[in-house]
Amino acid sequence: MRRLNRKKTLNLMKELDAFPKVPESYVETSASGGTVSLIAFTTIAILTIMEFTVYRDTWMKYEYEVDKDFTSKLRINIDITVAMRCQYVGADVLDLAETMVASADGLTYEPVVFDLSPQQKEWQRMLQLIQSRLQEEHSLQDVIFKSAFKSASTALPPREDNSLQSPDACRIHGHLYVNKVAGNFHITVGKAIPHPRGHAHLAALVSHESYNFSHRIDHLSFGELIPGIINPLDGTEKIASDHNQMFQYFITVVPTKLHTYKISAETHQFSVTERERVINHAAGSHGVSGIFMKYDISSLMVTVTEEHMPFWQFLVRLCGIIGGIFSTTGILHGLGRFVAEVIFCRFRLSSYRSTSVPVPDGHTSNHLPLITDNSMH
């Protein structure tokens, strides 16, 4: 009884087989089928390797939301070299309300030589080349995000030659914390003097002939300092054509949360628009000579997350590739054989019809001979 039930179950499973097996004696192989199979296997191997490469790669996902953090402080990282002596320049930050001056105690004034050494010039040239490529191909920013902390530092390398030239410039570097509102970081003539109604700079003792706001921005960033991240103004160099010249940078800062497989940090991206002009009150060009960086904080926050293809999705795509190639090549092979057989049959039929028959008078008849009863006998 058990054997009978087992046999019925086995027969039932055989009836449910969706993959019936054809006996090998009924299978006919051909040279064309072998060629198509070789092409199919080669294509499957190539696409499988390419799909595995895509599976190993990652991409950056951007999400946008409203920034609800208004109470925290904003960190500004600064490394700027101005072609004036340190006793002649001063740097500070004034917020939008112009009632609170952020103290610049976190900045260091270091006397340096403005001209770069050969190694430093090579560094600046490479950084400017990367900046030009980033402006043309924005997708390179994703590569920089993924390679943060793994790439070499983007800071200016130290001077390797012992220059005997006396310092003629001032390197202002460090960081400071400001309120998370629009503000103006500026470097101008004279040290800042705070007073209840705002602030001023003590510039009366500096002659106009000594004004030279040629400058080089080695680094400027907002938020947490992340090695390997290249910011839009890194490597910028401006040479003043006049003593009374104003350089303006209008910056829009976007809070950014960066989550990759290597790091998780809160930083800020920014875009910048540049403008420069010569101060000439007689010609109607008013203002103060110096370097002014006016920044504004965006109300949107960007979350950048590095994502990876799930393994199950990789398997589904791989099965689709293999099954699709097998089905497509089978259809194309069958269609090709059908077309070839039709053309070959028509060719044979036309050659059979064009067979000539000789007649006694020496002429040729293209008609088939008539079969009669006498000829049968």
Side-chain angles (χ1 to χ4, degrees):
M1 189 67 179
R2 290 182 179 178
R3 295 179 62 182
L4 183 60
N5 292 334
R6 187 180 302 175
K7 189 175 182 180
K8 289 182 178 180
T9 305
L10 184 60
N11 293 332
L12 179 61
M13 296 302 295
K14 288 182 178 181
E15 292 178 0
L16 295 176
D17 187 8
F19 309 97
K21 308 299 184 295
V22 180
E24 294 184 0
S25 58
Y26 297 159
V27 177
E28 180 182 359
T29 58
S30 61
S32 61
T35 304
V36 173
S37 299
L38 184 60
I39 296 174
F41 291 143
T42 305
T43 307
I44 289 174
I46 295 174
L47 293 182
T48 300
I49 295 174
M50 295 175 62
E51 189 66 25
F52 183 71
T53 305
V54 174
Y55 169 71
R56 292 186 58 188
D57 194 15
T58 59
W59 63 89
M60 308 305 292
K61 179 182 179 182
Y62 292 81
E63 296 178 342
Y64 302 89
E65 59 180 321
V66 177
D67 185 15
K68 300 179 181 179
D69 185 11
F70 304 106
T71 59
S72 62
K73 295 289 185 177
L74 176 64
R75 171 170 169 161
I76 306 179
N77 307 295
I78 300 166
D79 191 351
I80 302 175
T81 302
V82 185
M84 292 181 65
R85 298 185 182 275
C86 291
Q87 60 266 27
Y88 295 158
V89 295
D92 60 340
V93 180
L94 184 66
D95 66 3
L96 184 61
E98 296 187 0
T99 56
M100 178 179 179
V101 178
S103 176
D105 295 335
L107 299 178
T108 302
Y109 295 78
E110 178 184 352
V112 295
V113 178
F114 187 76
D115 292 334
L116 297 175
S117 66
Q119 180 183 0
Q120 291 174 331
K121 288 182 179 179
E122 182 65 20
W123 167 88
Q124 186 186 34
R125 188 187 68 83
M126 290 299 298
L127 192 57
Q128 290 176 350
L129 179 61
I130 294 174
Q131 292 284 17
S132 62
R133 293 296 301 273
L134 283 173
Q135 294 178 2
E136 297 174 358
E137 303 178 17
H138 300 286
S139 59
L140 291 179
Q141 186 65 44
D142 293 349
V143 180
I144 295 177
F145 280 151
K146 290 190 287 186
S147 61
F149 280 140
K150 294 191 299 182
S151 59
S153 176
T154 57
L156 178 69
R159 180 178 291 272
E160 75 282 358
D161 58 340
N162 297 322
S163 178
L164 300 177
Q165 182 181 356
S166 59
D168 58 351
C170 183
R171 179 191 176 197
I172 305 174
H173 60 96
H175 64 273
L176 44 90
Y177 292 91
V178 298
N179 293 324
K180 214 171 179 182
V181 294
N184 181 7
F185 170 76
H186 52 274
I187 302 174
T188 187
V189 179
K191 301 299 180 181
I193 303 175
H195 59 84
R197 293 189 177 184
H199 81 296
H201 288 262
L202 187 60
L205 303 178
V206 183
S207 63
H208 284 78
E209 286 72 16
S210 62
Y211 286 13
N212 185 5
F213 284 100
S214 300
H215 62 280
R216 183 178 61 253
I217 303 176
D218 297 327
H219 180 78
L220 179 69
S221 64
F222 297 84
E224 184 178 347
L225 186 60
I226 303 177
I229 297 296
I230 299 177
N231 297 278
L233 286 177
D234 293 353
T236 300
E237 183 174 289
K238 298 291 184 180
I239 304 299
S241 59
D242 192 271
H243 293 291
N244 296 326
Q245 192 158 351
M246 172 189 288
F247 296 91
Q248 293 176 305
Y249 299 92
F250 301 93
I251 301 173
T252 302
V253 183
V254 180
T256 305
K257 291 184 179 181
L258 183 61
H259 300 286
T260 67
Y261 290 103
K262 298 295 181 181
I263 63 171
S264 180
E266 293 187 5
T267 181
H268 291 72
Q269 302 179 83
F270 65 90
S271 60
V272 59
T273 303
E274 304 176 12
R275 182 189 178 192
E276 57 182 85
R277 59 188 174 92
V278 176
I279 303 299
N280 189 349
H281 298 286
S285 178
H286 304 290
V288 179
S289 303
I291 305 168
F292 297 86
M293 298 183 177
K294 299 182 179 181
Y295 59 89
D296 191 11
I297 312 297
S298 175
S299 59
L300 293 179
M301 181 176 61
V302 181
T303 302
V304 184
T305 308
E306 185 178 6
E307 292 194 344
H308 188 274
M309 181 187 297
F311 183 70
W312 64 267
Q313 188 174 354
F314 168 71
L315 291 180
V316 171
R317 291 165 64 99
L318 192 61
C319 292
I321 290 174
I322 297 175
I325 291 177
F326 266 115
S327 301
T328 304
T329 52
I331 294 173
L332 294 178
H333 179 245
L335 183 62
R337 289 190 61 180
F338 174 76
V339 173
E341 289 178 358
V342 170
I343 296 175
F344 184 70
C345 289
R346 288 187 176 180
F347 177 76
R348 290 183 59 185
L349 183 60
S350 61
S351 62
Y352 180 72
R353 288 179 176 177
S354 61
T355 303
S356 60
V357 179
V359 294
D361 58 359
H363 297 281
T364 302
S365 175
N366 292 328
H367 299 282
L368 294 176
L370 211 52
I371 299 176
T372 59
D373 293 339
N374 294 331
S375 64
M376 292 288 293
H377 294 292

